[in-house]
Amino acid sequence: MLGQGLAPCRGHRVLPSLPASPGTQRPALRQGDPCPGPPVPSLCPVRSGAVEAKSRSCRHCTEMAAGLPARLGTGRAARGLRGRRLAHSGAAARLQQEYDAVVIGAGHNGLVAAAYLQRAGLRTAVLEKRHVLGGAAVTEEIVPGFKFSRASYLLSLLRPQIYTELELRRHGLRVLPRDPYSFTPLLEDRSPPRSLLLGHDMAQTQRQIAQFSQKDAQAYPAYEAFMGRLVSAIDPLLDAPPVDTAALGQGSLLQRLRALRALQPLLRAGLALGRQLPRYYEVLTAPISKILDHWFESEPLKATLATDAVIGAMSSPHSPGSGYVLLHHVMGELEGRRGAWGYVAGGMGALSQAIARAAASRGAHIFTEKAVCRVLLGRDGQAQGVVLRDGTEVRSKVVLSNASPQITFLELTPQEQLPEDFARRIRRVDTRSPVTKINVAVDRLPSFLAAPNARDGQPLPHHQCSIHLNCEGTHLLHQAYTEAAGGHPSGRTPRMSWQVGGPGTSRPEMRMPTRVRSMCVEPGNTRSAGPCCRQSHPRAQGPVTASPRAACQCLCPSLVFDCIEAYAPGFKASVIGRDILAPPDLERVFGLPGGNIFHGGMSLDQLYFARPAPPYSGYRSPVPGLYLCGSGAHPGGGVMGAAGRNAARVALGDFKRR
């Protein structure tokens, strides 16, 4: 039922068959059906592909159009919507010549920023160069019949304020928590080999750890509490701009007072840690291997935990500062549970669509296939809009860029407007990436030697986990790093993540259709010790070349699949399709500089005050009116949304003071 008392919109009829909107009880519409939604006095926002427009639009059709990119993927109907605005009620259909704010890029941070800007009353447009919204948080059908979360694949770090303030659940977001969440099968000279299964049931987790060390089992709750206190202390720092150190020593008294207020989260963090501050400082600066050696003696446990410290980084567990990267990945929260991770129903693209719907429902204009080629500057050097690749100028009072710092400042911004020192720092940002993402479609569940499948072939608890391979010891993670750093693809993938569903679905629930079993598997997802390829270029010497891609395309699948086969015999025979994204592919497709999933390394020299470069860590740039709102800004990478929210708030404050 569509609701009582709502007259159908008589302005147009539905053309192709469309599924019901997420979270609604509406039936799918058939071709030729009259639109059932209530009329809204405005031009219909969809001109082709989904509906035949006449004179009026309706809330139903605009809601449907807002979800079309995710539901229709890249097929014929989706192509009919290319270049069109994400529809919303009560707005003109075409790209306008002027807005209050323009956001470059419809990654999740850009969409979050747009939602907050529009929520505050600024007329906002988002311009995305690809045919699909979401940046790296997308769902795409890359193997016929299988939809993948093609790049990012899990959710935890998204700030809880964004869930609430943007009402993402109302806009269709549904997250499926994982419990258990980590599975480490071992290769051992015993039958069957052991495995380590970690979950939120502490007693069960301790029993699992006790297989390897009673001492570690007893120490694990204290370790979790210790890390939890550190996370709670620094959590507020994620939701505020870094302290403007330049403003502390210059500017008006009011500017200095504002800068002093920005110190409050930093001071509160220090006070919360109290006498334990030296120990926590060590976690942030030391190699994670040193921290884990202090707590535990079991190598499988230490190696499993250490994988979170090398994610997306060209580093080893023995690298100083690797402890912070681990911390960054336990900062998340899901349904009130600290450190929990989950799958988004519909894939990561469904998250991006929910944020886009939140922005569009307020009136934001969101366009795909609108590539920006230049930031438009006035005679005073102030950002005044953007120029599209087709020559179209879109004027605005502020511009926020969700693109990487390298694209924003070295490609889109006129170089003569940037201080030489700033441009040099941006060129020197460490964007080395060891990541090769391999998405695989398989026709049956993997059966591990350490945890064989049931006779009926139904999924077991460990199939929903991140599956860690080559974690018999931390030395194997270090060996994978040295192979990657030496320019050799490594087959020592430490992590696999499984998404299971029927053909053509993107639901990560562990369900097996009765007619056919099918599974989407992502081996070696965003893991520096995974199927690695070192970029052939040295730091700060231009874009990646094709040579690492060729090496990864040829060697990585073979090496990685051989590795998986050793743990789960029969895996290679189950593969029916694959998609390989080497660092050059990640840069080309998603705009990730050098293939770096964080828009730049998460080392301590590239965080907080120094992200992307001092003294421009507070989202402003050397160009007045141009702001950075992507992962290259504080607090860094991951599907967090904090950079988008923070940047929007800074831009809004400046806008109101103009």
Side-chain angles (χ1 to χ4, degrees):
M1 294 294 293
L2 295 172
Q4 296 179 349
L6 299 180
C9 169
R10 304 296 183 184
H12 49 264
R13 290 179 178 270
V14 176
L15 293 184
S17 295
L18 298 180
S21 298
T24 71
Q25 300 299 316
R26 297 171 182 154
L29 300 178
R30 296 181 299 276
Q31 182 170 351
D33 284 353
C35 175
V40 175
S42 66
L43 293 176
C44 182
V46 183
R47 296 291 181 180
S48 63
V51 296
E52 179 183 11
K54 289 191 178 177
S55 60
R56 296 167 69 86
S57 67
C58 66
R59 296 191 186 280
H60 170 78
C61 285
T62 53
E63 241 181 60
M64 296 289 286
L68 275 175
R71 294 196 295 276
L72 297 181
T74 58
R76 181 180 303 172
R79 288 195 295 272
L81 290 177
R82 290 184 179 181
R84 305 293 179 182
R85 180 173 56 80
L86 177 70
H88 64 277
S89 59
R94 297 176 181 175
L95 178 66
Q96 298 177 9
Q97 293 182 350
E98 186 173 351
Y99 293 88
D100 293 324
V102 164
V103 179
I104 303 172
H108 80 280
N109 273 308
L111 294 170
V112 166
Y116 280 97
L117 292 169
Q118 189 70 45
R119 185 171 178 251
L122 273 65
R123 294 179 301 110
T124 304
V126 183
L127 306 174
E128 167 60 41
K129 71 174 184 178
R130 293 194 73 206
H131 65 278
V132 60
L133 304 178
V138 291
T139 302
E140 295 188 75
E141 184 175 344
I142 48 180
V143 175
F146 294 83
K147 292 182 180 179
F148 296 80
S149 291
R150 194 178 184 191
S152 62
Y153 59 101
L154 285 171
L155 189 66
S156 171
L157 301 177
L158 189 69
R159 304 304 293 154
Q161 301 95 316
I162 295 174
Y163 276 106
T164 303
E165 293 166 356
L166 299 187
E167 301 179 284
L168 295 186
R169 181 170 293 183
R170 183 172 73 85
H171 290 291
L173 179 63
R174 188 163 66 97
V175 183
L176 308 165
R178 302 187 306 169
D179 190 18
Y181 54 82
S182 173
F183 174 63
T184 304
L186 303 182
L187 290 180
E188 298 180 304
D189 292 329
R190 56 187 292 172
S191 183
R194 291 174 295 177
S195 63
L196 177 63
L197 190 68
L198 304 180
H200 296 298
D201 184 328
M202 182 57 73
Q204 179 60 31
T205 293
Q206 287 182 281
R207 285 192 290 271
Q208 285 283 313
I209 296 172
Q211 298 177 87
F212 306 96
S213 168
Q214 287 286 348
K215 177 184 175 183
D216 288 358
Q218 294 172 3
Y220 190 74
Y223 166 81
E224 287 278 283
F226 175 81
M227 297 299 284
R229 283 193 296 272
L230 179 54
V231 167
S232 296
I234 67 176
D235 185 78
L237 297 178
L238 305 180
D239 300 312
V243 177
D244 187 350
T245 53
L248 289 173
Q250 62 185 21
S252 66
L253 178 61
L254 182 59
Q255 288 174 321
R256 294 185 184 190
L257 289 174
R258 288 195 190 109
L260 283 173
R261 282 202 299 270
L263 281 170
Q264 291 179 358
L266 201 58
L267 293 174
R268 283 196 294 267
L271 291 173
L273 297 176
R275 295 180 180 179
Q276 295 294 316
L277 183 58
R279 288 187 65 193
Y280 287 118
Y281 175 80
E282 184 181 31
V283 173
L284 299 177
T285 58
I288 192 59
S289 58
K290 178 181 178 181
I291 304 302
L292 294 175
D293 284 344
H294 171 79
W295 284 95
F296 306 117
E297 62 185 10
S298 164
E299 280 298 314
L301 176 61
K302 289 189 290 184
T304 298
L305 298 175
T307 60
D308 273 334
V310 294
I311 178 172
M314 185 64 80
S315 65
S316 156
H318 304 318
S319 300
S322 53
Y324 175 77
V325 182
L326 180 146
L327 191 70
H328 186 79
H329 288 91
V330 298
M331 286 180 182
E333 178 180 313
L334 210 60
E335 296 185 352
R337 185 185 290 275
R338 176 75 70 183
W341 290 75
Y343 294 107
V344 177
M348 292 299 286
L351 167 66
S352 299
Q353 287 295 322
I355 302 172
R357 279 191 286 269
S361 69
R362 296 275 183 172
H365 292 196
I366 303 176
F367 299 86
T368 57
E369 293 192 327
K370 296 291 185 183
V372 173
C373 68
R374 180 164 54 91
V375 175
L376 191 62
L377 304 183
R379 292 182 179 180
D380 58 356
Q382 176 100 10
Q384 292 188 345
V386 298
V387 180
L388 303 185
R389 189 172 293 166
D390 63 7
T392 302
E393 291 188 1
V394 183
R395 299 277 175 168
S396 66
K397 297 178 178 64
V398 295
V399 176
L400 285 79
S401 178
N402 189 189
S404 69
Q406 293 77 10
I407 291 176
T408 301
F409 300 118
L410 303 182
E411 297 183 23
L412 302 182
T413 305
Q415 294 301 285
E416 63 272 14
Q417 298 296 322
L418 298 176
E420 184 178 340
D421 179 65
F422 175 80
R424 186 185 308 114
R425 286 179 179 273
I426 296 299
R427 291 189 188 97
R428 296 181 63 185
V429 170
D430 186 357
T431 60
R432 293 175 299 164
S433 172
V435 173
T436 291
K437 175 78 182 293
I438 306 178
N439 295 297
V440 180
V442 299
D443 61 10
R444 58 186 177 274
L445 284 165
S447 183
F448 293 91
L449 294 173
N453 288 355
R455 289 185 177 181
D456 59 7
Q458 293 298 303
L460 299 173
H462 66 268
H463 284 120
Q464 70 177 305
C465 297
S466 288
I467 300 173
H468 303 84
L469 308 183
N470 286 296
C471 284
E472 286 79 8
T474 53
H475 69 283
L476 294 174
L477 303 183
H478 178 71
Q479 185 175 341
Y481 160 71
T482 59
E483 290 171 352
H488 307 293
S490 173
R492 300 183 182 278
T493 174
R495 175 164 294 192
M496 302 159 63
S497 180
W498 310 86
Q499 300 177 70
V500 181
T505 73
S506 55
R507 296 191 306 273
E509 296 101 328
M510 303 297 290
R511 295 178 180 174
M512 293 290 102
T514 56
R515 184 176 59 85
V516 62
R517 300 173 188 164
S518 60
M519 176 169 55
C520 304
V521 55
E522 305 171 19
N525 282 345
T526 55
R527 292 292 149 177
S528 66
C532 302
C533 291
R534 182 176 69 90
Q535 298 172 23
S536 61
H537 65 93
R539 182 171 171 172
Q541 291 190 8
V544 293
T545 64
S547 55
R549 181 180 189 276
C552 285
Q553 293 282 353
C554 295
L555 296 177
C556 277
S558 177
L559 293 171
V560 171
F561 291 179
D562 285 346
C563 168
I564 300 172
E565 185 78 13
Y567 289 86
F571 169 79
K572 290 198 291 187
S574 72
V575 174
I576 58 177
R578 68 190 187 188
D579 171 55
I580 304 167
L581 295 169
D585 301 304
L586 294 170
E587 182 172 51
R588 172 181 53 83
V589 176
F590 301 109
L592 302 176
N596 190 287
I597 63 173
F598 302 128
H599 284 197
M602 297 288 288
S603 53
L604 292 178
D605 63 323
Q606 294 186 174
L607 291 174
Y608 203 62
F609 297 119
R611 194 169 189 93
Y616 297 101
S617 58
Y619 310 103
R620 299 179 183 93
S621 78
V623 176
L626 174 61
Y627 303 83
L628 191 67
C629 68
S631 294
H634 170 76
V639 183
M640 186 179 293
R645 181 176 182 267
N646 294 348
R649 295 170 75 185
V650 170
L652 283 167
D654 292 348
F655 186 88
K656 292 175 181 177
R657 288 191 288 268
R658 295 178 69 167

